[in-house]
Amino acid sequence: MMARIVGGRKSHYLRWPWMISLRRYEGKAFKHKCGATLLNQLWAITAAHCVDGKMPNEVVLRLGEYNFHRMDESHPHVERRIYMIVIHPQFDAVTYENDLALLRFYEPVSLRANIVPICLPKPLDDVAGRMAVVTGWGRLAEEGELPGSLHEVSMPILTNKECEEMYSAAGYVETIRDVFVCAGLLNGGLDACEGDSGGPMVVRGTRGQWKLVGLISWGMGCAAPKQPGVYTRITKFVDWIDDIISL
Ligand code: ARG
């Protein structure tokens, strides 16, 4: 089977309009490094490990993008420079606990077909057992190629206990604290991969709206059996996020 994001497929244009490409200056150009997600006209969210140690002027966000190599999309992308990076004060660069950061633009974006913010969940939403969608421009397989267009994959959200049990069956002793949420299959095959970090894991709400429940944080390899992807659990941070983005 042809692997995508890993195990997913190319997204439809305009389907995930909160998806952002986070680009860092490297060599002589800004290059895609991570995913990020639009929260409102001035703020985006990403993984702390994507921006840790970076100055705001080393990062550019590309909104409304779909295929990096095409200039003829019906709704052009927009870029925003960063005015302020707010890394979660308890981010731990060793364990990746509290792996989230908020990015404030210099100039607000106006919303349109390809630029729409995501909803936040309620702090008590329990998502175990639900199907999640994960999107990104990351590798299509471990050590695999980088796609030009946005990819998506759906997979079930696990309980933290199921996640720990899978890792321990694979020979890893991992304590998956409640600041994380895992997703994937026992036999692997569906996952995020390098270059997807910081991007969204979303679930569909009862009224059809999509909600941000995770940020792609870490994994061991990509899509390996008994090694589910591990995500920052957004429900744990909704109050912190709201306090900052309502400033
Ligand atoms: N940390 C990696 C990145 O910077 C991706 C982590 C997700 N990996 C996974 N197997 N789910 O892009």
Side-chain angles (χ1 to χ4, degrees), residues 44-56:
I45 190 167
T46 190
H49 80 262
C50 289
V51 288
D52 196 23
K54 301 290 167 215
M55 300 293 290

Side-chain angles (χ1 to χ4, degrees), residues 33-34 49 96 191-197 216-223 229-231:
K33 279 287 163 216
C34 274
H49 80 262
Y96 274 21
D191 201 0
C193 200
E194 192 199 334
D196 288 321
S197 276
I216 300 165
S217 181
W218 60 274
M220 291 183 151
C222 302
V230 186
Y231 299 76

Side-chain angles (χ1 to χ4, degrees), residues 196-219:
D196 288 321
S197 276
M201 171 163 86
V202 297
V203 301
R204 195 108 200 224
T206 43
R207 270 167 277 103
Q209 79 289 19
W210 291 93
K211 298 187 285 189
L212 181 69
V213 297
L215 299 183
I216 300 165
S217 181
W218 60 274

